[in-house]
Amino acid sequence: MVPRRRDRRLPAVVLAVLMAGALPGQTASATPSAQPAVALTTPDGSRFVLLPDPSVPQVHWSIASFHDGGDDPDDALGLARATLQVSFLGTWASSVDPVRERTALADLYREWAGFLSDPRDAKKAIRVRELTTLTEQLGDVMQFPRRWAAAPAFQPEIVEHGPIGTATLTTIAPALGDVARLVLERREQQALRRIGLAWFDSFQRRATATMSDPLRQVRAELLALTSPEHPAARLLEPPVATTITHEKALAVWATTQHPSRTVHVLHGDFDVTTASATLRAVFAATALPPPARDGRPPFRALNGNRRSTVPGLPMPCIAVGWLLPPGCDPDVLATAAAVFGGGKDSAVGKALAKAGHADATVAVDVPWPATVDGRGLFLLTITSPAPAKGLDDLVLGAARAAASAVPDEARVGAIDLERQLQWRARTPDARRLATELAVRALAWPNSPVRNYGPPPVTGKQIQELLGRVFAGHAVVVEGRP
């Protein structure tokens, strides 16, 4: 066993190596760039984070947007995710006949709705096949990718990160103007070809994820007590199969991709002054209507502890949530969550073992549900193979203790190291780094962008944050078989 006096020193040394350069076998993409990040807002309201780095030979461009259900219609949850998945298949500018294609796509999805309501109607089936063929003829899904390649822009791809999706591509500095115009065209003239297929795929994935979650009812009850209108509450409901219209899909795209709802990150070898001038000139205006509402309502203030019980679960469990205070530092929050409830070595994990519940498992989610600037819950969940009494008192007691004492620095250092290694695993190259930073910039717009990963956190910072979190009232939901 490593002596206690060396526990803190080892993580600090390794962290210094990680933050100074790459480990053997890794690229140096996650080291600090030669120039600081530059925030840029273009005339149309688009938000950019520019990270120049002469050591990166290309320019990686990533665009982050939410697809967490907040912008979906009630009868088409998951539509935002579907629109993002097909967004590289082309625009009206890459159409053989934009007017005819727009009409054909609108007709196709109306006919689809009629056919699905009566699948035995042969005439409707024939009409759907005819319109499908027509739309494929009018909209060549390979033309837009060819234009990206000619710009040049390499490997345009969509990646999902929980409630956030990214569209990422790689180019070179001399091509930034041409690529920027294609990025703008993708946003402003989106055709959403094959959206029907993507919608059905999105529905099936959501249905599988929702119905396979053993704690779904507990999570739904938590939101019912704190934020019943939150989009995550709707996503926890059993999904009902519905059809969409092309017009509805275009409206969702316009909302999720409005300049006020996205963040762009450019990372690589480019001149900031030249790139800024180019981006300002290209992103001068938008025809997308401003979003009508914010689909992510605030959580209700808790004037006292709230308790509820949910029967019929496959296993005994308890979930305890506290409202996160404003102004949380995301790095301190993540480390504090791990110290308090991140597994068996956490404060709650050790309290469970001491109380004779060594078989119980503990996990923490912050913020939950994932949202902007941490406007959610500090959520701790305990599951047990057998019913256990007093878990709520155990958790609340651990919360009081955590708020009153500085945690062990060796434990904090070990978590710092683990988080830095996780960052390295998620950002093995400059392209993945740009994507990761775009996700962070969208989720935490008021926090600094650090291209070298999470900084070390002190025990005092953790105590102060947990003190603010646990000073509020708690929501306790018990799940029983």
Side-chain angles (χ1 to χ4, degrees):
M1 182 174 180
V2 179
R4 180 183 177 87
R5 62 186 176 83
R6 295 180 59 193
D7 286 349
R8 179 58 177 166
R9 188 186 310 165
L10 178 60
V13 171
V14 178
L15 280 172
V17 173
L18 286 170
M19 297 174 68
L23 291 174
Q26 292 183 314
T27 66
S29 62
T31 58
S33 61
Q35 302 178 48
V38 175
L40 170 70
T41 301
T42 54
D44 67 348
S46 295
R47 294 172 291 168
F48 287 84
V49 177
L50 307 180
L51 280 164
D53 188 344
S55 69
V56 177
Q58 299 89 23
V59 179
H60 305 286
W61 188 329
S62 190
I63 310 162
S65 59
F66 274 103
H67 58 196
D68 61 345
D71 301 308
D72 291 329
D74 290 338
D75 61 349
L77 296 177
L79 187 52
R81 175 178 279 107
T83 62
L84 190 63
Q85 291 298 326
V86 300
S87 60
F88 278 123
L89 295 183
T91 65
W92 301 123
S94 60
S95 175
V96 174
D97 187 330
V99 176
R100 283 189 66 201
E101 185 184 4
R102 186 185 288 269
T103 301
L105 284 168
D107 291 344
L108 171 61
Y109 293 108
R110 277 194 290 269
E111 292 293 337
W112 254 116
F115 170 68
L116 292 177
S117 65
D118 187 7
R120 294 174 295 182
D121 190 325
K123 291 184 178 179
K124 291 180 180 178
I126 293 173
R127 179 60 174 158
V128 167
R129 285 198 296 270
E130 291 175 343
L131 286 169
T132 300
T133 301
L134 178 60
T135 57
E136 292 291 327
Q137 292 172 345
L138 294 173
D140 180 1
V141 296
M142 294 305 298
Q143 183 178 344
F144 203 45
R146 286 193 292 267
R147 292 173 60 198
W148 286 108
F154 310 102
Q155 295 180 325
E157 66 174 345
I158 304 297
V159 178
E160 295 184 4
H161 314 262
I164 294 175
T166 54
T168 305
L169 55 89
T170 298
T171 185
I172 53 178
L176 275 180
D178 291 336
V179 171
R181 283 183 281 274
L182 286 174
V183 171
L184 181 70
E185 180 183 317
R186 171 181 171 270
R187 185 187 78 187
E188 298 287 319
Q189 301 187 50
Q190 182 58 237
L192 294 182
R193 299 186 176 109
R194 299 181 180 176
I195 184 60
L197 296 175
W199 161 244
F200 285 123
D201 177 70
S202 178
F203 172 81
Q204 290 174 340
R205 292 173 59 191
R206 184 171 68 86
T208 300
T210 300
M211 302 313 294
S212 63
D213 181 3
L215 302 181
R216 175 178 62 85
Q217 293 170 287
V218 169
R219 300 182 195 278
E221 184 69 10
L222 276 167
L223 288 173
L225 295 172
T226 54
S227 185
E229 302 301 320
H230 197 281
R234 297 184 299 162
L235 292 173
L236 290 168
E237 298 172 355
V240 177
T242 59
T243 57
I244 61 168
T245 65
H246 193 245
E247 294 89 344
K248 184 179 292 186
L250 288 172
V252 169
W253 171 263
T255 297
T256 60
Q257 301 304 309
H258 189 271
S260 63
R261 294 288 182 87
T262 62
V263 173
H264 302 244
V265 169
L266 273 67
H267 173 51
D269 186 13
F270 60 89
D271 177 72
V272 170
T273 302
T274 303
S276 298
T278 298
L279 295 172
R280 287 193 184 96
V282 174
F283 292 89
T286 181
L288 302 182
R293 62 184 180 89
D294 184 356
R296 300 157 190 86
F299 281 71
R300 296 173 176 174
L302 298 177
N303 298 319
N305 290 341
R306 297 180 182 179
R307 294 176 181 268
S308 182
T309 302
V310 177
L313 264 68
M315 68 187 78
C317 69
I318 187 170
V320 185
W322 295 263
L323 289 180
L324 286 170
C328 288
D329 182 298
D331 297 304
V332 177
L333 178 60
T335 303
V339 167
F340 182 69
K344 293 186 179 297
D345 290 333
S346 66
V348 175
K350 291 178 179 179
L352 285 169
K354 185 177 181 180
H357 304 302
D359 292 337
T361 60
V362 58
V364 64
D365 294 293
V366 288
W368 185 86
T371 184
V372 178
D373 268 339
R375 297 196 298 264
L377 296 176
F378 186 107
L379 176 61
L380 183 133
T381 306
I382 298 174
T383 57
S384 175
K389 295 182 179 180
L391 293 183
D392 53 345
D393 291 334
L394 182 148
V395 172
L396 295 176
R400 289 190 295 270
S404 62
V406 175
D408 179 64
E409 290 291 347
R411 172 65 176 158
V412 175
I415 292 173
D416 278 343
L417 173 60
E418 183 178 358
R419 294 191 63 234
Q420 186 66 234
L421 292 175
Q422 290 172 350
W423 168 267
R424 286 279 166 167
R426 294 196 306 270
T427 59
D429 53 50
R431 180 181 169 108
R432 292 281 295 276
L433 174 61
T435 300
E436 188 75 16
L437 294 178
V439 172
R440 163 137 178 164
L442 182 68
W444 296 94
N446 294 315
S447 297
V449 174
R450 301 184 180 96
N451 65 325
Y452 52 81
V457 173
T458 67
K460 186 61 177 177
Q461 287 176 299
I462 291 173
Q463 181 196 6
E464 291 175 351
L465 177 57
L466 292 181
R468 293 174 61 203
V469 173
F470 298 146
H473 297 290
V475 178
V476 180
V477 178
E478 181 182 0
R480 297 177 180 172

